[in-house]
Amino acid sequence: MVNSVNIQEFLEKAKKLPVLDVRAPKEYETGHIPAAHSFPIFDDEQRAVVGTAYKQQGHDPAVLIGLDLFGPRMSRFVKEAGKLAKNKELLVHCWRGGMRSGAMAWLLNFAGFKVHLLQGGYKAYRQRVHAEIEKPRSLIILGGLTGSGKTDILPYLQQLGQQSIDLEGLANHKGSAFGSIGLPPQPSTEHFENLLGTALMESNSQQPLWLEDESISIGRVHMPKPFFEQMQAAPTIVLELPHKLRVQKLAQEYCRTNEAILAAAILKIKKRLGGLATKEALAAISDGDMEKMVEIALAYYDKAYTYELAKKQRMLPLSLQSINPEENAGQIVHFAKQHKLL
């Protein structure tokens, strides 16, 4: 017997059991439950064929076409599911909890698996994600000019008993023209929301949550507007570090990067830098003078960030004299307690 479960039960079971997402590969790639395995009942082309038949000929002809495609592969589906679920218990979902997941659940149940089917499918999961993202929270934002080491500090805050989410880590981007260097491809905005929603579900909404200050776009990923608005309204601890330390930190990071990649990043902001500054930055890269290249880029980024910072509702400046993230995390927590943020 197939066990039909709601989204909350499904997510609880997903912590221990494999999740089979039977939607087409393109659907999965656009966004999926982070724990799910892509287990498509139809490939992208087959899904299009069945969908067209449904629109043009109706339900029954589409079902027959679907069965013709599904039938020859039933044995393979059972074998592949067995590799993922050694104890023969798993979870299945499609887009709305309709025919695709129903057919797969029936097959695997017939083959002896204990199957839990998600009511409402991936659509129910997306509704759960949006509800989590829109939930009011106590946020503390870690701000500061580029090179202040904000991202590096987050894990040390966790070591001090604080909870944090690395938004740039979820987005696979550091938020500037240089932000994609050395990182995997970015997720879609939809899947970024899924990753954020999952991280929020795993946090305690009754405790403060630390986040690095971000613009509404992190590379090509867009932050959910309700969540971004909460961030804008939250208190922001603005880290103030000596300019020289920031330049040294960034130069050290970029000295390991291919010259062509750095040059391409500079060219992305050519219009904002201006022709002369761009030419000087490219020459600095060619000469291996990373500090000069960083100085030129920071002239733009510092001005842009200062402009955005002025939109904040509550800013608390904190002067730091070190780039050591562990040491700075301790000072930041102490500062937050002094200002009754914790």
Side-chain angles (χ1 to χ4, degrees):
M1 181 178 173
V2 175
N3 179 33
S4 181
V5 296
N6 62 33
I7 185 59
Q8 194 57 43
E9 293 174 281
F10 190 91
L11 293 174
E12 282 298 317
K13 291 182 181 298
K15 294 175 183 177
K16 296 180 180 178
L17 299 175
V19 177
L20 306 188
D21 181 339
V22 304
R23 297 175 304 149
K26 192 177 290 184
E27 293 174 282
Y28 180 90
E29 185 181 343
T30 299
H32 55 270
I33 298 173
H37 299 272
S38 181
F39 203 83
I41 197 168
F42 303 128
D43 62 27
D44 295 324
E45 188 176 325
Q46 291 168 337
R47 174 181 173 244
V49 168
V50 174
T52 300
Y54 185 86
K55 289 177 183 176
Q56 295 179 352
Q57 302 173 47
H59 175 273
D60 292 350
V63 168
L64 290 175
I65 292 171
L67 289 173
D68 284 340
L69 296 169
F70 180 55
R73 295 184 297 152
M74 289 196 294
S75 174
R76 181 171 65 82
F77 284 136
V78 172
K79 289 174 185 174
E80 292 299 318
K83 293 175 185 176
L84 295 170
K86 303 296 183 185
N87 65 352
K88 301 198 79 172
E89 183 176 5
L90 43 71
L91 301 129
V92 173
H93 78 84
C94 62
W95 165 235
R96 278 182 301 222
M99 287 188 289
R100 287 183 291 177
S101 58
M104 187 65 76
W106 167 83
L107 170 65
L108 296 178
N109 178 65
F110 181 75
F113 288 81
K114 183 175 182 181
V115 182
H116 305 282
L117 183 63
L118 175 58
Q119 298 167 4
Y122 177 70
K123 189 175 181 181
Y125 170 74
R126 288 288 294 164
Q127 290 168 347
R128 177 74 177 83
V129 163
H130 288 145
E132 196 66 37
I133 286 171
E134 292 169 14
K135 185 187 294 183
R137 292 174 184 275
S138 172
L139 303 178
I140 306 174
I141 309 302
L142 207 55
L145 297 171
T146 303
S148 301
K150 303 181 290 293
T151 307
D152 299 337
I153 289 166
L154 295 177
Y156 290 101
L157 289 174
Q158 290 182 335
Q159 288 184 18
L160 294 172
Q162 303 299 309
Q163 49 180 12
S164 68
I165 294 176
D166 181 359
L167 296 172
E168 293 182 354
L170 299 183
N172 288 338
H173 202 282
K174 295 178 182 176
S176 71
F178 300 84
S180 63
I181 293 175
L183 294 174
Q186 286 197 268
S188 67
T189 291
E190 179 178 311
H191 193 56
F192 171 79
E193 291 176 354
N194 293 345
L195 295 169
L196 174 59
T198 297
L200 291 171
M201 289 176 211
E202 293 170 353
S203 70
N204 183 346
S205 62
Q206 303 305 309
Q207 300 294 326
L209 176 65
W210 293 78
L211 300 164
E212 180 178 349
D213 195 16
E214 303 289 350
S215 65
I216 198 163
S217 296
I218 309 176
R220 63 180 179 84
V221 162
H222 299 287
M223 292 245 275
K225 191 176 179 184
F227 192 74
F228 179 72
E229 288 173 349
Q230 281 201 61
M231 289 180 64
Q232 289 293 91
T236 300
I237 297 176
V238 184
L239 308 183
E240 297 180 342
L241 279 82
H243 181 76
K244 185 178 180 181
L245 280 183
R246 295 192 294 120
V247 170
Q248 289 173 345
K249 171 181 165 54
L250 293 171
Q252 189 175 17
E253 289 177 5
Y254 293 134
C255 73
R256 300 185 293 269
T257 303
N258 180 279
E259 285 185 17
I261 294 174
L262 287 175
I266 286 291
L267 291 172
K268 286 181 184 176
I269 54 172
K270 179 179 178 179
K271 287 184 179 179
R272 299 182 182 98
L273 288 178
L276 179 59
T278 299
K279 187 177 179 180
E280 290 177 346
L282 292 174
I285 292 170
S286 182
D287 293 339
D289 190 347
M290 291 300 109
E291 290 200 7
K292 184 175 180 182
M293 183 275 289
V294 168
E295 287 270 13
I296 294 167
L298 282 184
Y300 159 67
Y301 281 112
D302 285 0
K303 183 178 179 181
Y305 183 70
T306 302
Y307 175 78
E308 291 300 321
L309 199 60
K311 300 176 184 178
K312 295 285 185 180
Q313 295 184 21
R314 185 186 179 193
M315 292 184 289
L316 301 166
L318 171 60
S319 179
L320 299 170
Q321 297 305 313
S322 165
I323 207 70
N324 183 305
E326 184 173 11
E327 180 183 314
N328 288 346
Q331 292 189 50
I332 289 165
V333 169
H334 178 70
F335 182 81
K337 288 177 178 176
Q338 282 185 319
H339 288 81
K340 297 183 172 23
L341 303 181
L342 296 175

